[in-house]
Amino acid sequence: MCGITGWVSYQQDLTTARPIVEEMTATMADRGPDGGGVWISGHAALGHRRLAIIDIEGGAQPMTVETPDGPVALVYSGEAYNFAELREQLQARGHRFRSRSDTEVVLRGYLEWGEAVAERLTGMWAFAIWDARVQRLSLFRDPLGIKPLYLMPTVDGVLFGSEPKAILANPRARAAVGMDGLRELFTMITDPATAIWDGMRQVEPGTVLTVNRDGLRERRYWQLRTAEHSDDLATTISTVRELLRDSVRRQLVADVPLGVLLSGGLDSSAITVLAAEELRHSGEQARTFTVELAGQREKFVADEWRATLDSPFADQVAAHIGARHTAIMLDPAELTAPQTREAVVRARDFPLGFGDSDASLYLLSRAVRAHSTVALSGESADEIFGGYRWFHHPVLRDSETFPWMAAMPHTLTRRAGLLRPDLTRALELDDYVRDRYREAVARVEPLPGASPLDNRLRQLSHLHITRFLRAMLDRKDRMSMAVGLEVRVPFCDHRLIDYLYNVPWSLQSHDGREKSLLRAATTDLLPRSVVERVKSHYPIAQDAAYAEALQRRAADLLADDHAVLELVDAAAARKVVARAPGDLDLPDRAALEQFLDLAVWLDLYRPALHTI
């Protein structure tokens, strides 16, 4: 896992721009703490920061191959889990390798198959190849968009990077945000192509984008495709198990310490037991980590999102497989510490995320990094197996909007609770959400002859995989890579998702519960308590002291007449600050989190805001 960046300028010799490229590369030192490099030739410049995972000595980048017609250079972030098989194929075709790295497999795969190398890869990755033979840049992103990749077209080429901060370090880029950027920021949509920064966009998941003197061209090499599912229930359960087992097996390959993030829920426990099973075959012991907030065992209060505490279930799974288990204890005061908030906002490059969940994930990742460089996660099972309650609730399921927006309080899905009223009116967030929803469902191909319920559930699956999942993956990537921890997500193997996407709802919910197929595929491997556990969302701070700390920091901003008040309604903010901490509900706390994050973001990036 690494950070990549680059610059192509067809009207400039970039050999004189090395200091700028080095500065762009340096912005991602956290993503790649183990080394960095820059390669420049004529109109192209590539930068790389490395987190060494496979072939520690031989995988340095940028990596190049000299050909009779000019060099081909690569910067690569991520992992190709099937690189060993591809390496054998390439060797059979006459390629000779200088390293054991998957990076060189990808580069030589491009030399052999061109852009079609993307279709042959299984894994998570974003990479860029400059082909001097044809003076062309190609940008590749994995099918699910697990690894981020941004670009900004210029008058004579393009800037790109794993994160916006790399692009914004170039003087040709301007840190500006307009109304459309704010609309995306203040809603929970996560359009797969959009970046909030003016002139910037993402390379969409499952696409190859090429840049030459004639401009940009985009080709989609993977997408969700509708097809008839002919397997019966028993075959479907068996196939899911084997696909998941193979995904976990492939993702255990690393030349550095590896662990598993274990919450004690069905998703992470399934990954954990399959990983432990595979590691046991090679004489290794699974290493597991769970997060807990200090004092939460004594003060935990069940609510509609979190019925049970994670730690007891995680302890049971760890004991069940004989894991070396570590409970990471977080101090709630750290969640509100200014340095934590600044680190989180800097990692995201935008202000609004998931409140203290982002902060705790960042702190958890930092603690895990002291023990492991790689961690497997149960992320994404809810999106692909129908784990959220809105998959099962008819009113929420059939609402004419993104289902998570129908299920959550309006003040959480329109993150504008404390915005100035005139700005809120100008943003027209309800219209924006409605238009984006209609665009999204229009991309879903129905199955002829399927029931209305199956076609609606197909829409929900598509919305989650192409929208909601993107937010979850981006959050996981940013918070973990900010401390140099590579998090792998076995549920995001595109082979598994291709299969599940077409399974009828009658099979997906055959036992009347959420995630029926996942439960059936792993039930004999797990403790009964975990199999029967009701879904519990990621833990948050519940004590009044946390809310009081948010209020104090918000009061300081109000007293200082901070620049954030150009966006925020000061009177509305004062009302929330004045309430008793114990009276603050989840939307109140979310509004304060957003207020504080916006202030930090303005201080860090000083963006030009093109508002009303």
Side-chain angles (χ1 to χ4, degrees):
M1 195 75 70
C2 309
I4 66 173
T5 190
W7 181 9
V8 170
S9 174
Y10 288 107
Q11 297 177 10
Q12 182 178 349
D13 181 353
L14 294 180
T15 56
T16 61
R18 176 173 288 272
I20 296 174
V21 181
E22 289 176 342
E23 185 175 352
M24 294 169 67
T25 305
T27 63
M28 294 179 299
D30 290 337
R31 294 186 74 92
D34 296 328
V38 166
W39 179 89
I40 302 177
S41 178
H43 299 301
L46 305 177
H48 184 265
R49 290 293 313 188
R50 187 183 186 205
L51 176 61
I53 303 293
I54 295 174
D55 191 4
I56 308 302
E57 301 300 325
Q61 300 182 50
M63 187 176 285
T64 61
V65 171
E66 296 293 335
T67 78
D69 299 315
V72 178
L74 164 75
V75 283
Y76 169 79
S77 169
E79 308 291 346
Y81 301 127
N82 62 335
F83 77 97
E85 298 99 300
L86 294 177
R87 180 188 178 97
E88 290 180 359
Q89 295 175 28
L90 290 165
Q91 286 175 325
R93 292 171 178 261
H95 289 267
R96 297 294 175 261
F97 288 82
R98 305 183 304 245
S99 73
R100 297 184 296 105
S101 69
D102 60 332
T103 303
E104 188 177 3
V105 171
V106 172
L107 178 54
R108 293 194 172 275
Y110 172 82
L111 293 175
E112 181 66 33
W113 299 302
E115 292 178 6
V117 66
E119 287 94 317
R120 296 174 179 264
L121 299 174
T122 298
M124 57 176 189
W125 33 263
F127 60 93
I129 292 178
W130 172 253
D131 192 335
R133 300 172 300 180
V134 289
Q135 295 289 293
R136 182 182 67 211
L137 176 74
S138 297
L139 300 172
F140 302 76
R141 194 171 181 196
D142 68 68
L144 277 301
I146 305 168
K147 291 292 100 187
L149 186 55
Y150 293 80
L151 76 148
M152 179 179 282
T154 64
V155 292
D156 67 336
V158 70
L159 303 168
F160 70 87
S162 293
E163 297 178 354
K165 61 174 65 69
I167 295 172
L168 295 174
N170 189 295
R172 291 200 180 187
R174 183 166 176 259
V177 178
M179 292 295 279
D180 281 343
L182 292 177
R183 290 183 180 105
E184 183 68 18
L185 183 63
F186 289 117
T187 56
M188 290 183 65
I189 295 176
T190 318
D191 182 84
T194 301
I196 68 164
W197 303 95
D198 282 0
M200 193 183 298
R201 53 164 293 194
Q202 297 185 58
V203 176
E204 288 198 51
T207 63
V208 180
L209 190 148
T210 58
V211 183
N212 59 24
R213 292 181 184 275
D214 296 325
L216 278 64
R217 176 180 64 85
E218 195 165 7
R219 177 179 70 86
R220 189 175 299 279
Y221 69 85
W222 182 90
Q223 59 186 331
L224 293 167
R225 297 189 183 278
T226 297
E228 189 79 43
H229 183 83
S230 57
D231 291 345
D232 61 16
L233 178 59
T235 304
T236 299
I237 292 170
S238 174
T239 302
V240 167
R241 179 159 170 154
E242 291 312 308
L243 285 170
L244 186 56
R245 173 180 276 133
D246 185 66
S247 179
V248 170
R249 177 182 62 81
R250 291 174 181 273
Q251 297 193 30
L252 291 173
V253 176
D255 293 336
V256 293
L258 178 147
V260 186
L261 304 180
L262 174 62
S263 70
L266 178 62
D267 313 344
S268 65
S269 298
I271 297 299
T272 300
V273 296
L274 289 171
E277 181 182 76
E278 188 66 30
L279 291 169
R280 199 175 298 119
H281 292 157
S282 57
E284 299 178 69
Q285 182 184 24
R287 183 74 194 267
T288 56
F289 303 91
T290 191
V291 64
E292 185 175 341
L293 297 177
Q296 193 169 49
R297 290 203 186 207
E298 297 78 21
K299 301 177 183 177
F300 177 75
V301 177
D303 58 32
E304 62 175 323
W305 299 99
R306 297 162 189 86
T308 52
L309 195 63
D310 284 347
S311 300
F313 294 92
D315 292 345
Q316 292 172 36
V317 175
H320 179 69
I321 61 170
R324 274 199 304 151
H325 185 58
T326 301
I328 305 296
M329 192 69 66
L330 300 181
D331 181 351
E334 275 195 282
L335 299 178
T336 59
Q339 61 270 27
T340 302
R341 189 171 301 278
E342 180 175 329
V344 167
V345 173
R346 190 186 298 276
R348 281 196 307 246
D349 283 319
F350 57 85
L352 305 186
F354 292 88
D356 64 307
S357 293
D358 284 359
S360 65
L361 181 56
Y362 168 80
L363 294 170
L364 168 64
S365 298
R366 189 177 67 183
V368 171
R369 184 62 174 86
H371 306 278
S372 295
T373 310
V374 176
L376 270 61
S377 166
E379 192 77 73
S380 310
D382 287 309
E383 289 79 9
I384 67 173
F385 284 103
Y388 295 115
R389 62 180 181 174
W390 45 83
F391 278 93
H392 307 267
H393 191 294
V395 173
L396 301 177
R397 182 186 65 215
D398 297 334
S399 59
E400 287 294 315
T401 188
F402 297 98
W404 52 91
M405 292 191 175
M408 297 180 189
H410 195 272
T411 48
L412 291 181
T413 60
R414 311 289 194 277
R415 302 165 172 174
L418 294 182
L419 287 187
R420 291 186 350 242
D422 57 335
L423 178 55
T424 301
R425 288 191 296 271
L427 286 170
E428 298 178 313
L429 295 181
D430 288 342
D431 291 344
Y432 182 76
V433 170
R434 183 187 62 247
D435 292 345
R436 297 293 84 76
Y437 171 76
R438 290 173 177 172
E439 291 172 3
V441 295
R443 298 179 68 170
V444 184
E445 179 188 2
L447 180 68
S451 69
L453 176 61
D454 271 329
N455 279 328
R456 178 55 179 163
L457 268 298
R458 184 182 301 278
Q459 287 182 339
L460 262 63
S461 178
H462 197 286
L463 292 173
H464 279 80
I465 292 170
T466 62
R467 301 302 194 277
F468 198 74
L469 178 57
R470 284 292 313 117
M472 299 297 104
L473 292 174
D474 192 66
R475 167 180 174 263
K476 186 79 76 175
D477 174 86
R478 298 303 187 90
M479 296 305 106
S480 60
M481 290 303 294
V483 295
L485 176 70
E486 174 176 293
V487 174
R488 299 177 178 178
V489 281
F491 286 118
C492 282
D493 189 309
H494 73 275
R495 300 169 302 162
L496 176 62
I497 289 175
D498 281 338
Y499 186 76
L500 285 170
Y501 181 64
N502 288 299
V503 176
W505 189 243
S506 59
L507 300 187
Q508 295 233 30
S509 59
H510 68 268
D511 65 354
R513 295 193 59 183
E514 81 286 352
K515 292 180 283 195
S516 302
L517 289 177
L518 177 59
R519 182 174 290 102
T522 57
T523 188
D524 61 314
L525 303 175
L526 296 167
R528 177 52 50 183
S529 60
V530 173
V531 174
E532 298 300 331
R533 187 186 181 195
V534 176
K535 176 176 173 56
S536 190
H537 289 257
Y538 191 84
I540 62 171
Q542 293 182 310
D543 60 340
Y546 179 81
E548 186 178 4
L550 294 178
Q551 289 176 304
R552 284 198 306 271
R553 300 196 186 285
D556 290 342
L557 293 176
L558 290 166
D560 291 344
D561 197 26
H562 192 276
V564 72
L565 297 180
E566 295 178 18
L567 296 173
V568 169
D569 181 352
R574 289 191 181 94
K575 288 181 180 178
V576 179
V577 168
R579 291 178 192 154
D583 292 339
L584 294 187
D585 58 15
L586 186 58
D588 289 333
R589 288 181 16 158
L592 290 177
E593 296 271 13
Q594 294 158 14
F595 181 33
L596 300 178
D597 283 357
L598 278 168
V600 172
W601 179 64
L602 291 173
D603 288 340
L604 288 175
Y605 291 87
R606 302 191 180 279
L609 298 175
H610 305 309
T611 59
I612 57 175

